[in-house]
């Protein structure tokens, strides 16, 4: 499985945008980029996914580099509820397995 | 909507005891899986299933058994519990094994083995 690299931790202030980076230099052409987050004492929840184009949904935006070797999850206005561990994961088109790394712990300051 | 339901939420076992963690989903999902999460770490895949009657091993399958007799249920069995199996266990399911394969997770089962 192709690996991802994320910073261990990041901090943000409430109401400000947050850019969470992810490097995946060994990504293959058929890998989708998935983001999940895990709030304290809960199971992970899906945030967003993409292949080549930037994606937006109600939770976040995903910006994918042109060479696909990196991506950035964007939270447009961080809230205290966004404090969580964010996981960037590569998923094969036809595969069913998701391999989680250690993720980025996001702290949101009031 | 129940989603993915795990039972029990908490369990304490003694070394050598056996038990089953239950996982049920009501979304008619083909794919189901079990992960474990140790303190301060990401999730590691134990076993997964792409449909009734089909199971396969993940990263850390030793010490665990699974079966998938129905679409809805995917129990995880610990045959002889060891302290190294102290962890939080998450069951997850998705509609298909292809794209997008969004995973829905249960709330977790916290297991302590003494």
């Amino acid at each position: 499985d192709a690996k991802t690299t994320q910073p261990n931790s990041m901090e943000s202030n409430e109401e400000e945008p947050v850019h969470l980076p992810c490097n995946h230099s060994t990504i293959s052409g058929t890998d989708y980029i998935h983001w999940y987050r895990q709030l304290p004492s809960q199971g992970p929840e899906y945030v967003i996914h993409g292949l080549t184009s930037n994606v937006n949904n109600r939770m976040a935006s995903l910006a994918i580099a042109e060479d696909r070797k990196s991506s950035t999850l964007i939270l447009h206005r961080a809230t205290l509820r966004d404090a969580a561990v964010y996981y960037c994961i590569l998923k094969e088109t036809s595969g069913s397995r998701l391999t989680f790394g250690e993720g980025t712990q996001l702290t949101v300051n009031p | 909507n129940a989603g993915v339901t795990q039972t029990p939420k908490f369990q304490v076992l003694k070394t050598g005891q056996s038990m089953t963690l239950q996982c049920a989903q009501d979304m008619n999902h083909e794919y189901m899986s079990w992960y474990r999460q140790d303190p301060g770490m990401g999730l590691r895949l134990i076993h997964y299933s792409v449909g009734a009657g089909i199971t396969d091993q993940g990263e850390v399958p030793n010490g665990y058994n699974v079966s998938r007799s129905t679409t809805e249920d995917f129990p995880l069995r610990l045959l002889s519990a060891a302290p190294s199996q102290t962890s939080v266990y998450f069951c997850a399911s998705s509609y298909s094994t292809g794209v997008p394969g969004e995973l829905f997770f249960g709330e977790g089962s916290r297991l302590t083995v003494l």
Side-chain angles (χ1 to χ4, degrees), chain A residues 36 44-46 98 100, chain B residues 31 33 35 92-94 101-105:
Chain A
Y36 283 74
E45 64 175 341
Y46 167 83
L98 279 183
F100 285 76
Chain B
Y31 177 80
S33 56
Y35 288 86
S93 71
S94 69
E102 174 189 346
L103 277 178
F104 294 82
F105 283 83

Side-chain angles (χ1 to χ4, degrees), chain B residues 54-92:
Chain B
I54 306 168
T55 63
D56 207 345
Q57 296 181 349
E59 297 175 70
V60 288
N62 292 341
Y64 307 94
N65 275 2
V66 292
S67 60
R68 183 96 179 268
S69 56
T70 67
T71 301
E72 295 78 17
D73 300 299
F74 190 45
L76 178 72
R77 298 183 187 84
L78 283 71
L79 304 175
S80 178
S84 60
Q85 293 178 303
T86 294
S87 191
V88 181
Y89 292 83
F90 290 100
C91 179

Side-chain angles (χ1 to χ4, degrees), chain A residues 34 36 38 44 87 91 95-96 98, chain B residues 31 35 37 97-98 100 103 105:
Chain A
H34 283 238
Y36 283 74
Q38 186 174 21
Y87 297 99
K91 183 181 183 300
S96 49
L98 279 183
Chain B
Y31 177 80
Y35 288 86
Q37 185 173 36
T97 57
L103 277 178
F105 283 83

Side-chain angles (χ1 to χ4, degrees), chain B:
Chain B
N1 294 335
V4 178
T5 303
Q6 291 183 234
T7 56
K9 287 187 169 39
F10 300 93
Q11 183 71 48
V12 178
L13 288 179
K14 294 181 180 177
T15 297
Q17 287 184 317
S18 62
M19 77 156 299
T20 300
L21 298 177
Q22 302 290 346
C23 176
Q25 52 88 11
D26 61 359
M27 298 174 281
N28 200 31
H29 284 174
E30 290 181 4
Y31 177 80
M32 296 186 73
S33 56
W34 277 101
Y35 288 86
R36 62 176 287 176
Q37 185 173 36
D38 299 324
M41 296 181 65
L43 283 77
R44 291 184 292 170
L45 182 64
I46 305 171
H47 284 286
Y48 64 98
S49 168
V50 298
I54 306 168
T55 63
D56 207 345
Q57 296 181 349
E59 297 175 70
V60 288
N62 292 341
Y64 307 94
N65 275 2
V66 292
S67 60
R68 183 96 179 268
S69 56
T70 67
T71 301
E72 295 78 17
D73 300 299
F74 190 45
L76 178 72
R77 298 183 187 84
L78 283 71
L79 304 175
S80 178
S84 60
Q85 293 178 303
T86 294
S87 191
V88 181
Y89 292 83
F90 290 100
C91 179
S93 71
S94 69
Y95 178 69
S96 72
T97 57
V99 178
E102 174 189 346
L103 277 178
F104 294 82
F105 283 83
E107 293 184 354
S109 296
R110 186 176 296 274
L111 176 66
T112 300
V113 183
L114 303 175

Side-chain angles (χ1 to χ4, degrees), chain A residues 11-15 78-80 83 107-110:
Chain A
E11 257 186 73
S12 173
N13 295 321
E14 204 175 4
E15 304 289 314
T79 69
L80 296 178
T107 300
V108 180
N109 300 313

